[in-house]
Amino acid sequence: MTREQFFRTLAPIAIRVRREGSPLFVSVRLAQNLLETGGVIPSWNNVCGIKVGSGKPNAYWRGKTVNRSTWEVRDGRNVFESADFRAYDSIYDCYKDQDLLLRLPRYAPVRAADEPEKQARALQASGYATDPRYADKLIDIMNAHGLRRYDREADEVPEGAMPVAIEIDGSKIGDGCAIDGITWGPARAIGEALGASVGWNNGEVLINGEPWPTKVFGSAGFVPVRRLAETLGARVVWDGAGKKVIIRR
């Protein structure tokens, strides 16, 4: 697999997760994937270099592990160590588990970064890796392979649509768009945040097993935000000045 094939394989999944509200820029995520794997997607789908750590199994990591040799920097010296890494059922699960990890307070600067370069440096400063050149390497990969094109793709909305931010209880959950007076948002990000089961069947989003009106942007399913939130018992407020939908549980 060439580097370009590697990025083309992972990009649709990374774009989907970004549209569902991931704090990571697609360019940063793909650069990190290359740096962590060397361009080879492992059979256990951990392309983010996530160790087992003290975390507990969740909806995306079900407790499976693999033990592998890893290169680290300890006290200024390069060392090889054996470590337990999380194993995933899919790349999507790996990305979503990484997003859970990035909710920790130490990663607040990563979530707040408004540019890929700032985010790469915030990842290093927050202690994601022991390599003192981690951020520089991520930025070099982004530049060498033009990965910011995937950030632009993730931000694209259909012609004639207005970009809309979606917040739940004061935290941004994802990006949507308003089309003909209806705001559409990422079904999985919103539905799961409000306690619903979200599925997919033949091009339709399923909310608690029932089909919903669906639009597909990239590889993500979008549904009417107000209808979804109110069906799940939440209140919805439209902030016209800020171009955002505010959901309150």
Side-chain angles (χ1 to χ4, degrees), residues 58-188:
N58 55 56
Y60 304 109
W61 176 54
R62 295 166 178 83
K64 293 187 289 186
T65 67
V66 295
N67 185 272
R68 288 294 182 273
S69 176
T70 179
W71 174 80
E72 305 288 351
V73 178
R74 305 292 185 194
D75 298 322
R77 296 185 301 109
N78 298 340
V79 298
F80 283 94
E81 302 174 346
S82 178
D84 291 324
F85 290 84
R86 300 186 184 194
Y88 298 98
D89 294 340
S90 67
I91 300 295
Y92 178 83
D93 283 354
C94 177
Y95 286 164
K96 297 295 281 190
D97 189 46
Q98 185 181 36
D99 284 353
L100 293 180
L101 175 67
L102 295 176
R103 291 182 184 178
L104 293 175
R106 65 189 261 201
Y107 292 114
V110 176
R111 300 192 300 271
D114 58 1
E115 295 178 358
E117 292 83 357
K118 291 180 182 178
Q119 190 166 75
R121 300 206 181 280
L123 271 171
Q124 179 178 324
S126 299
Y128 192 91
T130 59
D131 183 353
R133 294 199 64 250
Y134 195 74
D136 289 336
K137 290 177 180 179
L138 292 180
I139 294 169
D140 287 346
I141 292 170
M142 285 189 282
N143 290 335
H145 297 279
L147 297 185
R148 290 171 189 80
R149 69 187 187 271
Y150 294 116
D151 293 328
R152 293 190 291 271
E153 184 176 345
D155 290 340
E156 285 179 357
V157 296
E159 186 176 353
M162 180 179 70
V164 173
I166 300 169
E167 292 185 357
I168 295 182
D169 295 336
S171 297
K172 183 177 178 181
I173 196 72
D175 291 304
C177 58
I179 303 174
D180 297 329
I182 298 176
T183 299
W184 298 76
R188 187 172 298 277

Side-chain angles (χ1 to χ4, degrees), residues 213-227:
T214 302
K215 290 186 182 296
V216 179
F217 304 141
S219 57
F222 282 56
V223 298
V225 176
R226 181 178 292 276
R227 176 179 168 187

Side-chain angles (χ1 to χ4, degrees), residues 15 54 93 118 154 158 163 193 196 200 226 232 237:
I15 289 170
S54 59
D93 283 354
K118 291 180 182 178
W200 182 260
R226 181 178 292 276
L232 297 175
V237 176

